[in-house]
Amino acid sequence: MKTKIIRQILLTALALITISALAQKQKNIVIDSGLEANSTALKIKMGGQALNKIPKYEFGDYAVVEGKVGAVKSSGSSNLFDTQQQEKGKTQFSFVMTDRAENRATVNAHINQEHRSSKEQKLIAFFYIGENEVLLDKHNFSVTIFLNNDTSNLWLLFMNYETGSQSNNTGTAFLTNGQRKILIASASSNSNLKNARKIPALGYQFIENKQALSAIQYYGGGLLGLNKGLVWIDHQLDEQLKLVLSSAMTALLHKEYSEVSEIDDLDDYEDW
C-alpha cells in the first residue's frame, strides 16, 4: 500500500513537471516541429548603437558589423473641415552582416507607410460632421540582399499589409532570388490557443515548399518582451542560404523592433 502511494506521488510530480515544461516552452513562438528538431534557439544580442546607426545585432555565427539609419520623411494633409486626413512616411536603413567564414551580406531596406482616416468634427453645439474611421493603414517593406559584393547574387524581400475600410489587400510577404520563393508567415506563442497570453510572443517563419527553413522571435511577450529575441535556422541548409535568411530576419527584426518599442498601450495587444 505504501509503495503504491509513493508511486502515485512520483507520477503526479512527473506530470506537474511535464506540464510546467510545456507551459514554459509556449512562452516562445510556436514553430514547425521539423525546424525545432533541426535547429538550436539562438539568443539575439543587441550590441551597441550609435546615433543614426542600427544596433550591432548578433546571434550564433552571424553579426552586424556596420549599418546606418536614414532620416524619416513624412507629409500630411487634410480637407477644409479636417474630417479627412492623410499622412505618409518613409525611411530606410542598411547594414552589413557577416558569418564566421567572413562571408558578407549587404542589406538595404525601405519602409513606406500611408494612413488615411476620417474624423468627426463639431461645427456648432449638437451638430457634427464626419465620423471617426480608419480608411486605410498601409505598410510596404522592401529589402535587397546581395552576397560578397556580387550584385548578381541578389535576393529580394517584399512585405506589404494594410487594414481599414478602404483596404482590399490581405497582404503578402516573401523572400526570393527569382528562382526560389520562400514565404514569410506570422508566428505567435498563441498559435495553438491553449496557452493564450494577453501579450504574446511574436515572430515570423520562413517556409519553402511547406518546410520551415528558419524563424525569428522579435518580441518575447510580456512586459519585457523586447529583450527576448530568438532565431532558429535549420542546420541542414547550405551556408549561403543561412546567411541570406539571417540577413532577412535581421532586417525584419530592426523594422519590428522599432515599431514595437513605440507601443505605449498594452491593451493594443488584446486581439493579437
Side-chain angles (χ1 to χ4, degrees):
M1 184 67 176
K2 185 176 180 180
T3 302
K4 186 175 181 180
I5 293 174
I6 293 174
R7 182 185 178 189
Q8 186 62 43
I9 292 173
L10 290 174
L11 289 173
T12 302
L14 180 60
L16 290 174
I17 292 171
T18 302
I19 292 171
S20 177
L22 289 173
Q24 178 68 25
K25 183 177 179 181
Q26 287 306 110
K27 288 184 177 180
N28 295 328
I29 61 171
V30 178
I31 65 173
D32 178 79
S33 59
L35 176 60
E36 188 172 23
N38 292 312
S39 65
T40 301
L42 305 173
K43 182 174 176 57
I44 300 173
K45 301 176 183 178
M46 295 294 294
Q49 181 179 13
L51 184 64
N52 297 325
K53 305 288 185 181
I54 74 169
K56 290 192 174 180
Y57 300 109
E58 180 179 354
F59 48 87
D61 294 341
Y62 308 94
V64 170
V65 294
E66 58 183 88
K68 60 182 179 180
V69 177
V72 176
K73 298 179 181 180
S74 60
S75 62
S77 62
S78 62
N79 64 0
L80 178 62
F81 293 104
D82 208 28
T83 58
Q84 299 283 326
Q85 299 177 339
Q86 176 175 295
E87 297 174 313
K88 292 184 178 180
K90 61 181 180 179
T91 188
Q92 60 186 3
F93 61 87
S94 62
F95 61 89
V96 174
M97 173 163 268
T98 63
D99 60 17
R100 289 195 178 177
E102 297 186 355
N103 292 303
R104 295 167 63 90
T106 303
V107 182
N108 293 282
H110 297 264
I111 301 172
N112 289 277
Q113 296 176 307
E114 180 181 356
H115 181 81
R116 296 204 303 263
S117 62
S118 62
K119 187 177 181 181
E120 184 181 69
Q121 296 289 358
K122 180 179 179 180
L123 290 184
I124 57 176
F126 307 109
F127 184 75
Y128 295 82
I129 60 172
E131 58 182 23
N132 295 320
E133 182 182 11
V134 175
L135 303 176
L136 182 66
D137 193 24
K138 186 176 183 179
H139 298 254
N140 287 304
F141 183 54
S142 60
V143 181
T144 61
I145 304 169
F146 58 89
L147 302 182
N148 296 321
N149 297 320
D150 179 7
T151 54
S152 66
N153 193 353
L154 176 67
W155 287 78
L156 303 174
L157 185 155
F158 296 102
M159 174 178 285
N160 68 76
Y161 56 94
E162 57 185 59
T163 58
S165 60
Q166 295 180 352
S167 171
N168 56 9
N169 185 352
T170 57
T172 184
F174 60 90
L175 176 68
T176 183
N177 66 350
Q179 298 176 328
R180 303 176 66 170
K181 185 175 182 180
I182 301 171
L183 302 180
I184 303 172
S186 296
S188 165
S189 59
N190 288 354
S191 295
N192 60 14
L193 302 180
K194 293 180 180 179
N195 185 34
R197 303 167 68 190
K198 180 179 179 181
I199 312 176
L202 301 170
Y204 296 102
Q205 288 195 95
F206 286 66
I207 301 171
E208 183 180 37
N209 298 324
K210 298 183 179 180
Q211 177 186 354
L213 307 180
S214 67
I216 181 168
Q217 176 175 287
Y218 62 82
Y219 189 78
L223 298 177
L224 301 175
L226 293 178
N227 62 353
K228 299 175 184 176
L230 296 171
V231 164
W232 296 262
I233 304 173
D234 192 323
H235 297 315
Q236 304 172 94
L237 302 177
D238 66 71
E239 296 306 315
Q240 279 202 354
L241 184 55
K242 287 180 181 178
L243 180 55
V244 169
L245 290 168
S246 296
S247 302
M249 290 188 291
T250 301
L252 283 173
L253 170 68
H254 187 69
K255 170 188 173 295
E256 297 291 352
Y257 176 79
S258 300
E259 293 179 358
V260 172
S261 64
E262 295 173 357
I263 293 175
D264 57 9
D265 185 358
L266 296 180
D267 290 336
D268 291 344
Y269 287 90
E270 287 186 355
D271 296 329
W272 292 14

